[in-house]
Amino acid sequence: MTSQSQSQKDIDDEASTPPQEGPLRGINGFRYFWSSRVVSGLGSAVTTVALPVLIFQESRSPLLVSLVSAAGTLPYLAFGLIAGTVADRVDRRALMIVTDWLNALCLGSIPLAWAMGVLTASHVLAVALLSASLSLFFDAGVYGFVPEVVGKENLARANSAIYGAETVVRIAGNALAGGLILLLRPGGTLALDAASFAASALLLRAIAHTTPSSAPSAARRPGLRESVREGLRFLYGHPTLRVLTVVGTLQSFSGGAIVGQLVVFADRVLGIHGSDGRIGLLYMAWSAGGIGGSLLLPRLRRRFDAYPLLLWVLPVGALLGLLVVLTSDWRVALVALTAWGSAYLVVLVNTMTYSQEVTPPELQGRVNTTRRMLSSGLGVPLGALVASTVTVRVGIQAGMATAAVATALAAVIVWAVRLLRLLRPSESAQA
């Protein structure tokens, strides 16, 4: 069998070992790591609401509010390749602890400056960008750290548990933020997030042991540029991972379009105007769908390999998106958004899990940060931009439809790759 045929055979064969059962709570390292994500996620959810409010109070500038809102994705475009390379060259646990402490200091500077009466809009914007950049380096360490803690056979369950918990605390934190802003003012509220990063660092320090990283020693490791190229070569040269990266980017495009246009869609199509509380239900439905998807994925991965799973989930997601676009009944939209959110998260976490399963330990940071750079860093803002442009020029239903079209295109791609492979006699004989 040629190496190219073997690579193509990855579509069916890689990541085919079913996850071994065993409670994740029995893994001490995972318990501490999961707890660190819950604590830090709650603080970050509060900051997601408080930071735009704070910079608007300080500047009255819609542009600066937009920049703060975009701060979460901009560092992936600017530093994604560098962060992945750094994570593969150092101790990942140490990297995450250091970035948590730095983030605590960074965010803690805002309530301190606010209390002293010297807070400025430029200070808030700088903190937003620096905090997001530190979080990027933390995430780059996570991609290789989680497989070391739980083993690749438990990745689907571990990632689902992490994403499900983060979704729950994001909903809770967003709801909590309003009361905290009234009680502590926006500037004081950020002290909670600073404390949450410090708590996360302490929880990570409690993780006693993981599998030693297989990163090369300083004496034989390649230079920074060559390290980046190694990650890019692996990602581009792996046929299945290459396809799943495109799928993840299209799925993130879909998410950016949905979230970016949901308020307009509710107002113009569903009849939910102004301060109507039902708009909150729509956002909660999308997030609740993510919780459902996190519970569903481990069960689906026990029955399907990563690639076959996409063959069915993506078309279902596209149909659910079409249902949302075509309905004018907010109750139907509520149910369809919940189901669509489940399908959306199944695709994203399945793609990430597969990438961690097939990527060598020494390349985890580079490969997965690059993949995330394309999906979150490029897909989400591009989806929001395209959807808003289509809404202005054509109409809101057309704008929302871009999300369903992106998911449908992802479905077409995975089916086309599968059918092309089956129609090639030489590769069919190898299967």
Side-chain angles (χ1 to χ4, degrees):
M1 182 184 296
T2 66
S3 59
Q4 182 177 6
S5 297
Q6 179 62 50
S7 296
Q8 291 292 335
K9 196 172 182 292
D10 289 340
I11 293 177
D12 283 327
D13 292 344
E14 289 200 42
S16 60
T17 303
Q20 297 176 2
E21 291 297 332
L24 290 172
R25 62 179 178 273
I27 304 174
N28 287 332
F30 182 74
R31 284 208 310 270
Y32 286 120
F33 179 77
W34 183 88
S35 299
S36 79
R37 295 299 81 221
V38 170
V39 171
S40 183
L42 181 62
S44 296
V46 172
T47 295
T48 299
V49 179
L51 208 55
V53 173
L54 178 61
I55 198 164
F56 188 67
Q57 285 185 353
E58 295 293 328
S59 69
R60 314 306 296 181
S61 169
L63 174 61
L64 290 182
V65 173
S66 298
L67 285 175
V68 164
S69 299
T73 57
L74 289 176
Y76 270 94
L77 295 175
F79 308 120
L81 296 176
I82 297 174
T85 302
V86 170
D88 286 339
R89 296 162 73 94
V90 301
D91 183 285
R92 291 172 178 133
R93 173 174 165 270
L95 174 65
M96 293 188 293
I97 292 171
V98 168
T99 54
D100 265 348
W101 281 119
L102 290 175
N103 234 326
L105 294 173
C106 175
L107 287 162
S109 71
I110 287 184
L112 179 61
W114 173 75
M116 297 174 63
V118 296
L119 184 65
T120 63
S122 58
H123 182 170
V124 177
L125 180 60
V127 165
L129 292 170
L130 179 57
S131 176
S133 299
L134 289 168
S135 295
L136 162 63
F137 281 84
F138 183 99
D139 289 344
V142 167
Y143 296 125
F145 184 72
V146 173
E148 290 176 357
V149 171
V150 304
K152 290 189 175 183
E153 69 277 4
N154 290 312
L155 271 173
R157 291 188 298 138
N159 286 330
S160 295
I162 294 166
Y163 270 74
E166 288 180 342
T167 302
V168 171
V169 298
R170 182 166 62 249
I171 296 172
N174 291 163
L176 183 64
L180 288 173
I181 288 173
L182 287 175
L183 181 65
L184 303 173
R185 303 301 183 192
T189 300
L190 268 72
L192 175 65
D193 200 9
S196 76
F197 277 109
S200 174
L202 294 174
L203 286 165
L204 291 172
R205 280 184 58 86
I207 300 175
H209 175 75
T210 61
T211 303
S213 173
S214 56
S217 64
R220 56 189 179 86
R221 76 168 51 130
L224 184 64
R225 183 175 297 180
E226 180 57 28
S227 293
V228 170
R229 287 175 179 165
E230 281 182 354
L232 292 173
R233 278 197 298 267
F234 181 85
L235 181 60
Y236 183 78
H238 193 292
T240 307
L241 194 53
R242 189 169 64 236
V243 172
L244 265 62
T245 299
V246 174
V247 168
T249 303
L250 288 169
Q251 192 76 338
S252 294
F253 178 102
S254 175
I258 296 164
V259 175
Q261 294 300 294
L262 192 54
V263 171
V264 183
F265 180 75
D267 180 79
R268 297 183 183 177
V269 178
L270 302 180
I272 299 175
H273 310 294
S275 59
D276 191 322
R278 290 177 295 173
I279 184 64
L281 291 178
L282 293 177
Y283 278 99
M284 287 182 65
W286 180 253
S287 296
I291 298 171
S294 70
L295 297 174
L296 191 60
L297 177 63
R299 293 170 173 80
L300 291 173
R301 281 300 304 269
R302 281 195 289 267
R303 300 188 61 183
F304 303 99
D305 294 342
Y307 198 93
L309 178 59
L310 295 178
L311 296 173
W312 303 107
V313 175
L314 284 169
V316 169
L319 290 174
L320 289 167
L322 185 62
L323 176 60
V324 171
V325 171
L326 295 178
T327 188
S328 59
D329 187 324
W330 73 273
R331 290 159 295 194
V332 175
L334 195 70
V335 174
L337 271 172
T338 303
W340 195 6
S342 293
Y344 178 86
L345 190 121
V346 164
V347 172
L348 286 186
V349 180
N350 178 61
T351 302
M352 183 184 72
T353 299
Y354 178 85
S355 180
Q356 289 175 301
E357 288 170 342
V358 301
T359 301
E362 68 275 11
L363 293 174
Q364 288 281 357
R366 281 166 282 178
V367 170
N368 287 292
T369 305
T370 302
R371 184 186 52 78
R372 180 79 180 272
M373 180 181 69
L374 293 171
S375 59
S376 296
L378 179 63
V380 171
L382 186 61
L385 177 62
V386 170
S388 62
T389 302
V390 172
T391 294
V392 170
R393 296 190 176 184
V394 182
I396 181 57
Q397 286 182 299
M400 283 288 284
T402 60
V405 170
T407 304
L409 179 58
V412 169
I413 289 172
V414 295
W415 273 102
V417 170
R418 170 52 58 92
L419 293 175
L420 283 173
R421 179 178 180 274
L422 292 176
L423 290 173
R424 290 173 179 169
S426 61
E427 292 184 2
S428 298
Q430 301 283 357

